[in-house]
Amino acid sequence: MKRLKSVFSPDGQIKFELEITPRQIFYRVFYNNKEIIKNSNLDIEIANLKSPKFDLKSFKTLRFNETFELPWGEDQFVRNFYTEAEFKFEKFILKVRVFNDAVAFRYEIPKNQETATIEDELTEFNINLDSTCWQIPAFMPDRYEYNYEAIKLYDIEGSVHTPLTIKTPENLYLSIHEAALYDYGSMTIKLNGENILSSNITPLSDDTKAHVKLPFNTPWRLIMIANSAIDLTKNRVMYCLNEPPKGDFSWVETLKFIGIWWAMYVGEWTWAPGERHGATTAHAKEYIDAAVRLGIKGLLIEGWNEGWEGNWLENGVNNKFTVATPDFNLEEVASYARAKNIELVGHHETVGFVDNYEAQLEAAYNYYAANGIHYIKTGYAGSQIVINGKKEYHHSQAGVNHYQKTVELAAKKKIMLDIHEPIKGTGIERTWPNLLTREGARGQEYEGGALRPSHACYIPYTRLLAGGMDYTNGIFDITNSVKRISTTLARQAAYFVTIYSGMAMAADRPFMYEEKFPELFEFIKKVPTNFEKTVPLLGEIGDFYVVARKDRNSENWYIGGVTDQDGRTVKFNLDFLDDGIYKAHLYLDSKDAHFRDNPYGIKISQKRVKNSDTLEIYMAPGGGFAIELEKVNSL
Ligand code: NOJ
Ligand code: CA
């Protein structure tokens, strides 16, 4: 005997269908009556629990419609509009939400016992394997820091991370991801024994997937659906599937910052103490003064604490987060920064030694808080993390819980976080707005050989569907001899628009901004870190991406574009603008610019535009552009 139940999106275009047989349940997804996900198994394996039969005890649906506000981000208002269905079985409740642009579901395990060990989750996504996907491998030493590659789904080897973006042979764009990842292993995707795309939950070192207290809800399994690559980037369902904030986060503020950072990457300074130590009291004061002159609110200081000597990757097990090096007086630097109205961004490089970090966590946050430091960048370099003496994956349940502990403790201390080598974004910043940004993909630290111009044209359609990223933008010293940059100069400004980050770093040294390219720096100085709305304009995965964003605190708009190794001209109209006149400040590649041969070829100009105008912009190979549209009242 089998039963069929259907749930439709509010606009009727998407149908989720559940087939219930005594032994198994399957779902299917239809888009405009076309089956886009075929028979896909749903189940979860709980230790010591003999699988009861799938006997539907109750079924209810509801329609939900609200618009909520985010305190910061790419869009101020997000519509949360779906049909929900609750399928109650003995083992779990399957909760399904069907949006106009996504399907999501999760397992809710009732409190039939106190705790449960999840041995496996058997969620399938039976999508045509002849589809193309853009993927990075999971369970690898560099975590999420790999180059995206386009392959056919049937060529997936091992497991890949989400968001896993897919283009079907019918030219439909899907992205499989998850939302609200708490207390559970991160979902990776593999081809299972039946050669069907399926979940592979990151295991713990004891080879189980998670140990949980009941009742327990798994994260939402999310499938975003769009007709074009650019429309996929408009999807905000991940945030809809997270809870509103609990508590007062009115103190949270996005930030632009410079850093004692790139000088280490290009070998001028070092993280470790010594003759060329970067984080000295004197350097910090110089950088604070520079931040004031540049009109940048924040300053990151890395390498300030004990632990960087010798092989820091190995010695990091002893890192001290409350002990500064002898040449760095934290109290003095912090009070200097306060007097100049500069926010310091503290730094905790754990090197993955989570036990060592957690032992000092409260003291470390108190130390910064006592010195008026409200922002911390954390880091988890290393192929795995050490928790309770065991090596675990960053994206395992143990890792997820550690990152969450830092977010919650930071919230208590009114501290905002930028997490490097993080757990992937699943929208929890809606609930915890003090988690301002993450890295979690290759950023510009990989320049100098490992980054291709196409990289920044992949991530808007893949990694950035998981939320903002600290890409460490704005390196103007393109031709430096250590980490040669694979972009043009103009593109470094574009990144501030194409890669959203609640904490955005202008990563080069101040002299590059003040002395070498002050005119281009004007854009970086003015581009906001908090937007009222985002209008993705044009793009194709791995080829190019053009996006416009409106400032949350003014009438001004900002447009950014990036292209791969091929130069191209893009054309778009400005119909998203309000009526009136805008002064456009254009920072464009020159006709002869080229990321390899002529990276500094830039053309800066101004002109007046209005919403009936069309712009035609050339992007050089490896190039990009940035435009500020400043609202002015008259011609
Ligand atoms: C890797 C991070 O991504 C980078 O930003 C940081 O500077 C180094 N780790 C050292 O902590
Ligand atoms: Ca990194």
Side-chain angles (χ1 to χ4, degrees), residues 387-433:
I387 299 185
N388 292 330
K390 297 194 191 97
K391 284 197 164 175
E392 305 281 359
Y393 288 111
H394 289 66
H395 45 292
S396 66
Q397 181 195 26
V400 168
N401 286 347
H402 166 69
Y403 291 111
Q404 189 58 26
K405 189 182 271 181
T406 67
V407 171
E408 293 185 21
L409 186 66
K412 227 159 93 188
K413 313 274 176 198
K414 293 199 164 50
I415 286 173
M416 292 157 273
L417 291 180
D418 170 357
I419 307 181
H420 279 227
E421 298 79 41
I423 180 67
K424 72 186 177 190
T426 58
I428 66 160
E429 53 272 38
R430 178 175 174 205
T431 315
W432 302 97

Coordinates of all heavy atoms in Angstrom, one line a residue, residues 387-433:
I387 N 39.9 18.3 19.4 CA 38.9 18.5 20.4 C 38.8 17.3 21.3 O 38.8 16.2 20.8 CB 37.5 18.8 19.7 CG1 37.6 20.0 18.8 CG2 36.4 18.9 20.8 CD1 36.3 20.4 18.2
N388 N 38.9 17.6 22.6 CA 39.0 16.5 23.6 C 40.1 15.5 23.3 O 39.9 14.3 23.4 CB 37.6 15.7 23.7 CG 36.6 16.6 24.3 OD1 36.9 17.5 25.1 ND2 35.3 16.4 23.9
G389 N 41.2 16.1 22.8 CA 42.4 15.2 22.5 C 42.2 14.5 21.2 O 43.2 13.7 20.8
K390 N 41.1 14.6 20.5 CA 41.0 13.8 19.3 C 41.0 14.7 18.0 O 40.5 15.9 18.1 CB 39.7 13.1 19.3 CG 39.6 12.1 20.4 CD 38.4 11.1 20.2 CE 38.2 10.3 21.5 NZ 37.1 10.8 22.3
K391 N 41.5 14.2 17.0 CA 41.5 14.9 15.7 C 40.1 14.8 15.1 O 39.6 13.7 14.8 CB 42.6 14.4 14.7 CG 43.9 14.8 15.1 CD 44.9 14.6 14.0 CE 46.2 15.4 14.3 NZ 47.2 15.3 13.3
E392 N 39.5 15.9 14.8 CA 38.2 15.9 14.2 C 38.2 16.8 13.0 O 39.1 17.7 12.8 CB 37.2 16.5 15.2 CG 37.1 15.9 16.5 CD 36.4 14.6 16.5 OE1 35.8 14.1 15.5 OE2 36.3 13.9 17.6
Y393 N 37.2 16.6 12.1 CA 37.1 17.5 10.9 C 36.5 18.9 11.4 O 35.7 18.9 12.3 CB 36.1 17.0 9.9 CG 36.7 15.8 9.2 CD1 36.2 14.5 9.3 CD2 37.7 16.0 8.3 CE1 36.7 13.4 8.6 CE2 38.3 14.9 7.5 CZ 37.8 13.7 7.7 OH 38.3 12.6 7.0
H394 N 37.0 20.0 10.8 CA 36.5 21.3 11.1 C 34.9 21.2 11.0 O 34.2 21.9 11.7 CB 37.0 22.3 10.1 CG 38.4 22.7 10.3 ND1 39.5 21.8 10.1 CD2 39.0 23.9 10.6 CE1 40.6 22.4 10.3 NE2 40.4 23.7 10.6
H395 N 34.5 20.5 9.9 CA 33.0 20.5 9.7 C 32.3 19.3 10.3 O 31.2 19.0 9.8 CB 32.7 20.7 8.2 CG 33.6 19.8 7.3 ND1 34.9 20.0 7.1 CD2 33.2 18.8 6.4 CE1 35.3 19.1 6.2 NE2 34.3 18.4 5.8
S396 N 32.8 18.8 11.3 CA 32.1 17.7 12.1 C 31.2 18.3 13.1 O 31.3 19.5 13.4 CB 33.1 16.8 12.7 OG 33.8 17.6 13.7
Q397 N 30.4 17.5 13.8 CA 29.6 18.0 14.9 C 30.4 18.7 15.9 O 30.1 19.7 16.5 CB 28.8 16.9 15.5 CG 27.9 17.3 16.7 CD 27.4 16.2 17.5 OE1 28.0 15.1 17.6 NE2 26.2 16.4 18.2
A398 N 31.6 18.1 16.2 CA 32.5 18.7 17.3 C 32.9 20.1 16.8 O 32.9 21.0 17.6 CB 33.7 17.8 17.5
G399 N 33.3 20.2 15.6 CA 33.7 21.5 15.0 C 32.5 22.5 15.1 O 32.7 23.6 15.6
V400 N 31.4 22.1 14.6 CA 30.2 22.9 14.6 C 29.9 23.5 16.0 O 29.7 24.7 16.2 CB 29.0 22.1 14.0 CG1 27.7 22.9 14.3 CG2 29.1 21.8 12.6
N401 N 30.0 22.6 17.0 CA 29.7 23.0 18.3 C 30.8 24.0 18.9 O 30.4 24.9 19.6 CB 29.6 21.8 19.2 CG 28.2 21.1 19.0 OD1 27.4 21.6 18.3 ND2 28.1 19.9 19.5
H402 N 32.0 23.8 18.5 CA 33.0 24.7 18.9 C 32.8 26.1 18.4 O 32.8 27.1 19.1 CB 34.4 24.2 18.6 CG 35.4 25.3 18.7 ND1 35.8 25.9 20.0 CD2 36.0 26.1 17.8 CE1 36.6 26.9 19.8 NE2 36.8 27.1 18.5
Y403 N 32.6 26.2 17.0 CA 32.4 27.5 16.4 C 31.2 28.2 17.1 O 31.2 29.4 17.3 CB 32.1 27.3 14.9 CG 33.4 26.9 14.1 CD1 33.5 25.7 13.5 CD2 34.5 27.8 14.0 CE1 34.6 25.3 12.8 CE2 35.6 27.4 13.3 CZ 35.7 26.1 12.7 OH 36.8 25.8 12.0
Q404 N 30.1 27.4 17.4 CA 28.9 27.9 18.0 C 29.2 28.5 19.3 O 28.7 29.6 19.7 CB 27.8 26.9 18.0 CG 26.5 27.4 18.4 CD 26.0 28.5 17.5 OE1 26.4 28.6 16.3 NE2 25.2 29.4 18.0
K405 N 30.1 27.8 20.1 CA 30.4 28.2 21.4 C 31.1 29.6 21.3 O 30.8 30.5 22.1 CB 31.4 27.2 22.0 CG 31.7 27.5 23.5 CD 32.7 26.5 24.1 CE 32.0 25.2 24.6 NZ 33.0 24.3 25.2
T406 N 32.0 29.8 20.3 CA 32.7 31.1 20.2 C 31.7 32.2 19.8 O 31.7 33.3 20.4 CB 33.8 31.1 19.1 OG1 33.2 30.9 17.8 CG2 34.8 30.0 19.4
V407 N 30.7 31.9 19.0 CA 29.7 32.9 18.6 C 28.9 33.3 19.8 O 28.6 34.5 20.0 CB 28.8 32.3 17.4 CG1 27.7 33.3 17.1 CG2 29.6 32.1 16.2
E408 N 28.5 32.3 20.6 CA 27.6 32.6 21.7 C 28.3 33.4 22.8 O 27.8 34.3 23.4 CB 26.9 31.4 22.2 CG 25.9 30.8 21.1 CD 25.1 29.6 21.6 OE1 24.9 29.4 22.8 OE2 24.6 28.9 20.7
L409 N 29.5 32.9 23.1 CA 30.3 33.6 24.1 C 30.6 35.1 23.7 O 30.5 36.0 24.4 CB 31.6 32.9 24.4 CG 32.4 33.4 25.6 CD1 31.6 33.3 26.9 CD2 33.7 32.8 25.8
A410 N 31.0 35.2 22.4 CA 31.3 36.5 21.9 C 30.0 37.4 22.0 O 30.1 38.6 22.4 CB 31.7 36.4 20.4
A411 N 28.9 36.9 21.7 CA 27.6 37.7 21.8 C 27.5 38.2 23.2 O 27.1 39.3 23.5 CB 26.4 36.8 21.4
K412 N 27.7 37.3 24.2 CA 27.6 37.7 25.6 C 28.5 38.8 25.9 O 28.2 39.7 26.8 CB 28.0 36.4 26.4 CG 27.0 36.2 27.6 CD 27.0 34.8 28.0 CE 27.9 34.6 29.2 NZ 28.1 33.1 29.6
K413 N 29.7 38.8 25.3 CA 30.7 39.9 25.6 C 30.6 41.1 24.7 O 31.5 41.9 24.6 CB 32.1 39.3 25.5 CG 32.3 38.0 26.2 CD 32.7 38.2 27.7 CE 32.8 36.8 28.3 NZ 32.8 36.9 29.8
K414 N 29.6 41.1 23.8 CA 29.4 42.1 22.8 C 30.6 42.2 21.9 O 31.1 43.3 21.6 CB 29.1 43.5 23.5 CG 27.7 43.5 24.2 CD 27.3 45.0 24.4 CE 25.9 45.2 24.7 NZ 25.3 44.5 25.8
I415 N 31.0 41.0 21.4 CA 32.1 40.9 20.5 C 31.6 40.4 19.1 O 30.8 39.5 19.1 CB 33.2 40.0 21.0 CG1 34.0 40.8 22.2 CG2 34.2 39.6 20.0 CD1 35.0 39.9 22.9
M416 N 32.1 41.0 18.1 CA 31.7 40.6 16.7 C 32.9 39.7 16.1 O 34.0 40.0 16.3 CB 31.4 41.8 15.9 CG 30.2 42.5 16.4 SD 30.1 44.2 15.9 CE 30.9 45.0 17.3
L417 N 32.5 38.7 15.3 CA 33.5 37.8 14.8 C 33.6 37.7 13.3 O 32.7 37.9 12.5 CB 33.1 36.4 15.2 CG 33.2 36.0 16.7 CD1 32.8 34.6 17.0 CD2 34.6 36.3 17.3
D418 N 34.9 37.5 12.9 CA 35.3 37.2 11.5 C 36.0 35.9 11.6 O 37.2 35.9 12.0 CB 36.2 38.3 11.0 CG 36.8 38.0 9.6 OD1 36.6 36.9 9.1 OD2 37.5 38.9 9.1
I419 N 35.4 34.8 11.2 CA 36.0 33.4 11.4 C 36.7 33.0 10.1 O 36.0 32.8 9.1 CB 35.0 32.4 11.9 CG1 34.2 32.9 13.1 CG2 35.6 31.1 12.2 CD1 33.1 32.0 13.6
H420 N 38.0 32.7 10.2 CA 38.7 32.1 9.1 C 38.8 30.6 9.4 O 38.8 30.2 10.5 CB 40.1 32.7 8.9 CG 40.0 34.0 8.2 ND1 40.8 34.3 7.1 CD2 39.2 35.1 8.3 CE1 40.5 35.5 6.6 NE2 39.5 36.0 7.3
E421 N 38.9 29.8 8.3 CA 38.9 28.4 8.4 C 37.6 28.0 9.2 O 37.7 27.3 10.2 CB 40.1 27.8 8.9 CG 41.4 28.0 8.1 CD 41.9 29.4 8.3 OE1 42.0 29.9 9.4 OE2 42.3 30.0 7.3
P422 N 36.5 28.5 8.9 CA 35.3 28.4 9.7 C 34.5 27.1 9.3 O 34.9 26.4 8.5 CB 34.4 29.6 9.2 CG 34.7 29.6 7.7 CD 36.2 29.2 7.6
I423 N 33.4 27.0 10.0 CA 32.4 26.0 9.5 C 31.6 26.9 8.4 O 31.4 28.1 8.6 CB 31.5 25.5 10.6 CG1 30.4 24.5 10.1 CG2 30.8 26.6 11.4 CD1 31.0 23.2 9.6
K424 N 31.2 26.2 7.4 CA 30.5 26.9 6.3 C 29.3 27.7 6.8 O 28.7 27.3 7.9 CB 30.1 25.9 5.2 CG 28.9 25.1 5.6 CD 28.6 24.0 4.6 CE 27.5 23.1 5.1 NZ 27.3 21.9 4.2
G425 N 28.9 28.7 6.1 CA 27.7 29.5 6.5 C 26.4 28.8 6.2 O 26.3 28.2 5.1
T426 N 25.5 28.8 7.1 CA 24.2 28.2 6.9 C 23.1 29.2 7.4 O 22.0 28.8 7.7 CB 24.0 26.8 7.6 OG1 24.3 27.0 9.1 CG2 25.0 25.8 7.1
G427 N 23.5 30.4 7.4 CA 22.5 31.5 7.7 C 22.3 31.8 9.2 O 21.4 32.5 9.6
I428 N 23.2 31.2 10.1 CA 22.9 31.4 11.5 C 23.2 32.8 11.9 O 22.8 33.2 13.0 CB 23.8 30.4 12.4 CG1 25.3 30.7 12.2 CG2 23.5 29.0 12.1 CD1 26.1 30.2 13.4
E429 N 23.8 33.6 11.0 CA 24.0 35.0 11.4 C 22.7 35.8 11.5 O 22.6 36.9 12.0 CB 25.0 35.7 10.5 CG 24.7 35.6 9.0 CD 25.3 34.4 8.3 OE1 25.4 33.3 9.0 OE2 25.8 34.5 7.2
R430 N 21.6 35.2 11.0 CA 20.3 35.8 11.2 C 20.0 35.8 12.7 O 19.5 36.8 13.3 CB 19.2 35.1 10.4 CG 17.8 35.8 10.8 CD 16.7 35.2 10.0 NE 15.4 35.8 10.5 CZ 14.3 35.3 10.3 NH1 14.1 34.1 9.7 NH2 13.2 35.9 10.8
T431 N 20.3 34.7 13.3 CA 20.1 34.5 14.8 C 21.2 35.1 15.6 O 20.9 35.6 16.7 CB 20.0 33.0 15.1 OG1 19.2 32.4 14.1 CG2 19.4 32.8 16.5
W432 N 22.4 35.1 15.1 CA 23.6 35.6 15.8 C 24.2 36.6 14.9 O 25.3 36.4 14.3 CB 24.5 34.4 16.0 CG 23.9 33.3 16.8 CD1 23.3 32.2 16.4 CD2 23.7 33.3 18.3 NE1 22.8 31.5 17.4 CE2 23.0 32.1 18.6 CE3 24.1 34.2 19.3 CZ2 22.7 31.8 19.9 CZ3 23.7 33.9 20.6 CH2 23.1 32.7 20.9
P433 N 23.7 37.9 14.9 CA 24.2 38.9 14.0 C 25.6 39.3 14.3 O 26.3 40.0 13.5 CB 23.2 40.0 14.1 CG 22.0 39.5 14.8 CD 22.5 38.3 15.6

